[in-house]
Coordinates of all heavy atoms in Angstrom, one line a residue:
R113 N -72.6 -42.6 -13.9 CA -72.4 -41.4 -14.8 C -71.9 -40.3 -14.0 O -72.3 -40.0 -12.9 CB -73.8 -41.0 -15.4 CG -73.7 -39.9 -16.4 CD -75.0 -39.5 -17.0 NE -75.9 -38.9 -16.0 CZ -77.0 -39.5 -15.5 NH1 -77.4 -40.6 -16.0 NH2 -77.7 -38.8 -14.6
I114 N -70.9 -39.6 -14.6 CA -70.4 -38.3 -14.0 C -71.0 -37.2 -14.8 O -70.8 -37.0 -16.0 CB -68.9 -38.2 -14.0 CG1 -68.3 -39.3 -13.1 CG2 -68.4 -36.8 -13.5 CD1 -66.8 -39.3 -13.0
D115 N -71.8 -36.3 -14.1 CA -72.5 -35.3 -14.8 C -71.7 -34.0 -14.9 O -72.0 -33.1 -15.7 CB -73.8 -35.0 -14.1 CG -74.7 -36.2 -14.1 OD1 -74.9 -36.8 -15.1 OD2 -75.3 -36.6 -13.0
G116 N -70.7 -33.9 -14.0 CA -69.9 -32.7 -14.1 C -68.7 -32.8 -13.1 O -68.8 -33.5 -12.1
M117 N -67.7 -32.1 -13.4 CA -66.5 -32.1 -12.5 C -66.0 -30.6 -12.5 O -66.2 -29.9 -13.4 CB -65.4 -33.0 -12.9 CG -65.9 -34.5 -12.9 SD -64.5 -35.6 -13.3 CE -63.7 -35.7 -11.7
G118 N -65.2 -30.3 -11.5 CA -64.6 -29.0 -11.4 C -63.8 -28.8 -10.2 O -63.5 -29.7 -9.4
W119 N -63.5 -27.5 -9.9 CA -62.7 -27.1 -8.9 C -63.2 -25.9 -8.1 O -63.7 -24.9 -8.7 CB -61.3 -26.7 -9.4 CG -60.6 -27.9 -10.1 CD1 -60.7 -28.2 -11.4 CD2 -59.7 -28.8 -9.5 NE1 -59.9 -29.3 -11.7 CE2 -59.3 -29.7 -10.5 CE3 -59.2 -29.0 -8.2 CZ2 -58.4 -30.7 -10.3 CZ3 -58.3 -30.0 -8.0 CH2 -57.9 -30.8 -9.0
Y120 N -63.2 -26.0 -6.8 CA -63.3 -24.8 -5.9 C -62.0 -24.6 -5.2 O -61.1 -25.4 -5.2 CB -64.4 -25.1 -4.9 CG -65.8 -24.9 -5.3 CD1 -66.4 -25.8 -6.1 CD2 -66.6 -23.8 -4.9 CE1 -67.8 -25.7 -6.6 CE2 -67.9 -23.6 -5.4 CZ -68.5 -24.6 -6.2 OH -69.8 -24.4 -6.6
R121 N -61.9 -23.4 -4.6 CA -60.7 -23.1 -3.8 C -61.1 -22.3 -2.6 O -62.1 -21.6 -2.6 CB -59.6 -22.4 -4.6 CG -60.0 -21.0 -5.0 CD -58.9 -20.4 -5.9 NE -59.2 -19.0 -6.3 CZ -58.4 -18.3 -7.2 NH1 -57.4 -18.8 -7.7 NH2 -58.8 -17.1 -7.5
Q122 N -60.3 -22.4 -1.6 CA -60.6 -21.6 -0.4 C -59.2 -21.0 0.1 O -58.3 -21.8 0.5 CB -61.2 -22.4 0.7 CG -61.6 -21.6 1.9 CD -62.6 -22.3 2.8 OE1 -62.7 -23.5 2.8 NE2 -63.3 -21.6 3.7
A123 N -59.1 -19.7 0.1 CA -57.9 -19.0 0.5 C -58.1 -18.6 2.0 O -59.2 -18.5 2.5 CB -57.7 -17.8 -0.4
P124 N -57.0 -18.4 2.7 CA -57.1 -17.9 4.1 C -57.9 -16.7 4.2 O -57.7 -15.7 3.5 CB -55.6 -17.7 4.5 CG -54.9 -18.6 3.6 CD -55.6 -18.6 2.3
G125 N -58.9 -16.7 5.1 CA -59.7 -15.5 5.4 C -60.8 -15.3 4.3 O -61.5 -14.3 4.4
K126 N -61.0 -16.2 3.4 CA -61.9 -16.0 2.3 C -62.8 -17.2 2.2 O -62.4 -18.3 2.5 CB -61.3 -15.8 1.0 CG -60.4 -14.5 0.9 CD -59.8 -14.3 -0.5 CE -59.0 -13.0 -0.6 NZ -58.4 -12.8 -1.9
P127 N -64.1 -17.0 1.7 CA -65.0 -18.2 1.6 C -64.6 -19.0 0.4 O -63.8 -18.6 -0.5 CB -66.3 -17.5 1.4 CG -66.0 -16.2 0.8 CD -64.7 -15.8 1.4
R128 N -65.0 -20.2 0.3 CA -64.8 -21.1 -0.8 C -65.5 -20.5 -2.0 O -66.6 -20.1 -2.0 CB -65.2 -22.5 -0.5 CG -65.0 -23.5 -1.6 CD -64.8 -24.9 -1.2 NE -66.0 -25.4 -0.4 CZ -66.0 -26.6 0.1 NH1 -65.0 -27.5 -0.1 NH2 -67.1 -27.0 0.8
E129 N -64.8 -20.6 -3.2 CA -65.3 -20.0 -4.4 C -65.1 -21.0 -5.5 O -64.1 -21.7 -5.6 CB -64.7 -18.7 -4.7 CG -63.2 -18.7 -5.0 CD -62.6 -17.4 -5.4 OE1 -63.4 -16.4 -5.6 OE2 -61.4 -17.3 -5.6
L130 N -66.0 -21.0 -6.5 CA -65.9 -21.8 -7.7 C -64.8 -21.2 -8.6 O -64.8 -20.0 -8.9 CB -67.2 -21.8 -8.5 CG -67.2 -22.6 -9.8 CD1 -66.9 -24.1 -9.5 CD2 -68.4 -22.4 -10.6
V131 N -63.8 -22.1 -9.0 CA -62.7 -21.7 -9.8 C -63.1 -22.0 -11.3 O -63.0 -21.2 -12.2 CB -61.4 -22.4 -9.5 CG1 -60.3 -22.0 -10.4 CG2 -61.0 -22.0 -8.0
A132 N -63.5 -23.2 -11.5 CA -63.8 -23.7 -12.9 C -64.6 -25.0 -12.8 O -64.4 -25.8 -11.9 CB -62.5 -23.9 -13.7
G133 N -65.5 -25.1 -13.7 CA -66.3 -26.3 -13.8 C -66.5 -26.7 -15.3 O -66.5 -25.9 -16.2
I134 N -66.8 -28.0 -15.5 CA -67.0 -28.5 -16.8 C -68.0 -29.7 -16.7 O -67.7 -30.7 -16.1 CB -65.6 -29.0 -17.5 CG1 -65.9 -29.5 -18.9 CG2 -64.9 -30.0 -16.6 CD1 -64.6 -29.7 -19.7
P135 N -69.2 -29.5 -17.3 CA -70.1 -30.6 -17.4 C -69.8 -31.6 -18.5 O -68.8 -31.4 -19.2 CB -71.4 -29.8 -17.7 CG -71.0 -28.7 -18.5 CD -69.7 -28.3 -17.9
S136 N -70.6 -32.6 -18.6 CA -70.4 -33.6 -19.6 C -70.4 -33.1 -21.0 O -69.8 -33.6 -21.9 CB -71.4 -34.8 -19.4 OG -71.2 -35.4 -18.2
G137 N -71.3 -32.1 -21.2 CA -71.4 -31.5 -22.6 C -70.2 -30.8 -23.1 O -70.2 -30.5 -24.3
G138 N -69.2 -30.5 -22.3 CA -68.0 -29.9 -22.8 C -67.9 -28.5 -22.6 O -66.8 -27.9 -22.8
S139 N -69.0 -27.8 -22.2 CA -68.9 -26.4 -21.9 C -68.1 -26.2 -20.6 O -68.0 -27.1 -19.8 CB -70.3 -25.7 -21.8 OG -71.0 -26.3 -20.8
T140 N -67.6 -25.0 -20.5 CA -66.8 -24.7 -19.3 C -67.2 -23.3 -18.7 O -67.8 -22.5 -19.4 CB -65.3 -24.6 -19.7 OG1 -65.0 -23.6 -20.7 CG2 -64.8 -25.9 -20.2
N141 N -66.9 -23.2 -17.5 CA -67.1 -21.9 -16.8 C -66.0 -21.6 -15.9 O -65.4 -22.5 -15.3 CB -68.5 -21.8 -16.1 CG -68.6 -22.9 -15.1 OD1 -68.2 -22.8 -13.9 ND2 -69.3 -24.0 -15.4
Y142 N -65.6 -20.3 -15.7 CA -64.5 -19.9 -14.9 C -64.9 -18.7 -14.1 O -65.7 -17.9 -14.5 CB -63.3 -19.5 -15.8 CG -62.8 -20.6 -16.7 CD1 -63.2 -20.8 -18.0 CD2 -61.8 -21.5 -16.2 CE1 -62.7 -21.8 -18.8 CE2 -61.2 -22.5 -17.0 CZ -61.7 -22.6 -18.3 OH -61.2 -23.6 -19.1
A143 N -64.2 -18.6 -12.9 CA -64.3 -17.4 -12.2 C -63.6 -16.3 -13.0 O -62.6 -16.5 -13.7 CB -63.6 -17.6 -10.8
D144 N -64.1 -15.1 -12.8 CA -63.6 -14.0 -13.6 C -62.1 -13.8 -13.3 O -61.3 -13.4 -14.2 CB -64.3 -12.7 -13.2 CG -65.7 -12.6 -13.8 OD1 -66.0 -13.4 -14.8 OD2 -66.5 -11.9 -13.3
S145 N -61.7 -14.1 -12.1 CA -60.3 -13.8 -11.7 C -59.3 -14.8 -12.3 O -58.1 -14.5 -12.3 CB -60.2 -14.0 -10.2 OG -60.6 -15.2 -9.7
V146 N -59.8 -15.9 -12.9 CA -58.9 -16.8 -13.5 C -59.0 -17.0 -15.0 O -58.3 -17.7 -15.7 CB -59.0 -18.2 -12.9 CG1 -58.8 -18.1 -11.4 CG2 -60.3 -18.9 -13.2
K147 N -60.0 -16.3 -15.6 CA -60.2 -16.4 -17.1 C -59.0 -15.9 -17.8 O -58.4 -14.9 -17.5 CB -61.4 -15.5 -17.5 CG -62.8 -16.1 -17.1 CD -63.9 -15.2 -17.5 CE -65.3 -15.8 -17.1 NZ -66.4 -14.9 -17.5

């Protein structure tokens, strides 16, 4: 079973941050910078 999938990103000089995620239920979440 896959319970969730999504994306992080890491830019030069910055820590890794969550970009977007989607669990099995279909809800989504986004970083404010990409909404």
Side-chain angles (χ1 to χ4, degrees):
R113 182 182 69 245
I114 295 182
D115 300 311
M117 301 184 77
W119 299 88
Y120 280 76
R121 68 184 180 186
Q122 187 164 18
K126 297 182 179 180
R128 181 152 57 178
E129 64 176 356
L130 177 67
V131 178
I134 181 168
S136 297
S139 62
T140 59
N141 57 85
Y142 298 91
D144 288 339
S145 59
V146 307
K147 287 181 179 178

